[in-house]
Amino acid sequence: AQDWDFPSFSKPLQVDGSRVLIAGTFVPELRFEALPMVLRRLPKMPAALRRWAPPPGFFTFHVTGSWLTYGPLLLVILVDLFCAKNQLLYDPKNYGQYVLGSGEGNEAWRIWAIQDTAYLSEAYSKGVVVRPELIAYEARWNETTGEFLGRDEVADFRTLSMHTDNNLRYLCAAPGLLMIPVFFALVLFANRRKAHLRASSECSDQVLSAKRSVVPVSAGSEPSQSTVAASDTEEHLRGVGAIPPTSWEALGERSPDGLANSGDEADGKDGVARARDQLTLGRSNSDRSQGA
């Protein structure tokens, strides 16, 4: 159940009609209102500043159970990004290591690690390399004889890792980094689409309700006000896309001519009022969508 409404968590989590409480508490969310209370006790700001400053209630902070579950994952993502940064920007010289850089096969790219702390103190200052020429294979080994130039008791050792300094590492990391903005864009689009579909469903339900109460038109007679209003509402909602195509057929099957006569003029008047209200609502929704 904790995956419901991921990742926006726009609705409170419920199971069988009961709200899910935070573990160890009797509340569905945690609220922090200490800062607004402190701000309300402070002296009032000048009127010029109050116009631009947010109200104290703006600083109210609350966390639901869903965000308490997935919030730590966001911190884990930040740790992963930090690790990726270290992998992309890795340079052996920054860690007291070096590579041979020449020769045949994989041995040329084997990483060597320096163990002599006294020697490292000459090459680094507060963890930052200041004499990079000391952190090199040529500075630690005799290239002609292959003899080690440092102290034998703290000789450098060869690791099983390799470093080729290939720029393809940036290309390998690009898909993962690009998916971060793509993910947020998809979430934003999905939330807007969900709101549009919800509004469309409500509009179609209201139009169906209005058409059921319309007095049908008999052959050779003029259409009533309720029939005209309901028809105008339906056409307008179709034009702005408020009624999805799947609802048009349902509305067509329930046309005013096919409805049973209620026999009550009051029902017809109610249909006129509801149809007019729906027409106004549909037009306002259209104006807002066009403005957005």
Side-chain angles (χ1 to χ4, degrees), residues 64-260:
T64 61
S66 302
W67 281 108
L68 282 177
T69 301
Y70 285 94
L73 295 181
L74 299 178
L75 299 179
V76 173
I77 293 176
L78 295 179
V79 175
D80 291 340
L81 291 175
F82 184 77
C83 180
K85 185 267 296 182
N86 291 339
Q87 296 291 332
L88 293 175
L89 303 180
Y90 170 77
D91 188 352
K93 291 184 179 181
N94 295 330
Y95 301 92
Q97 302 169 347
Y98 58 88
V99 295
L100 177 59
S102 61
E104 298 180 359
N106 295 332
E107 295 300 323
W109 309 110
R110 294 290 184 184
I111 297 177
W112 291 75
I114 302 175
Q115 301 183 89
D116 191 346
T117 56
Y119 182 85
L120 291 175
S121 62
E122 299 178 7
Y124 292 85
S125 176
K126 297 181 180 181
V128 179
V129 59
V130 292
R131 298 182 63 186
E133 67 276 3
L134 297 180
I135 313 300
Y137 185 86
E138 299 80 7
R140 302 296 291 167
W141 298 85
N142 188 317
E143 295 185 81
T144 303
T145 63
E147 181 182 359
F148 182 62
L149 303 178
R151 295 185 298 167
D152 293 336
E153 60 272 17
V154 285
D156 303 347
F157 68 94
R158 186 186 63 178
T159 67
L160 297 179
S161 302
M162 294 183 294
H163 177 67
T164 60
D165 196 21
N166 196 318
N167 290 329
L168 287 177
R169 54 185 172 177
Y170 300 105
L171 182 61
C172 296
L177 297 177
L178 290 177
M179 284 305 300
I180 296 177
V182 170
F183 171 77
F184 286 104
L186 291 176
V187 171
L188 180 61
F189 173 79
N191 287 338
R192 291 185 176 180
R193 181 63 177 171
K194 183 192 297 184
H196 176 72
L197 293 177
R198 186 183 299 113
S200 300
S201 178
E202 293 176 356
C203 290
S204 60
D205 291 342
Q206 292 175 7
V207 171
L208 286 174
S209 177
K211 295 186 71 172
R212 289 192 184 98
S213 63
V214 171
V215 178
V217 181
S218 59
S221 62
E222 293 294 330
S224 62
Q225 280 185 319
S226 59
T227 302
V228 174
S231 178
D232 291 344
T233 302
E234 178 185 342
E235 291 298 329
H236 176 73
L237 293 177
R238 285 183 181 180
V240 300
I243 301 179
T246 54
S247 299
W248 297 353
E249 298 177 359
L251 291 175
E253 294 174 358
R254 295 172 175 80
S255 60
D257 294 335
L259 294 176

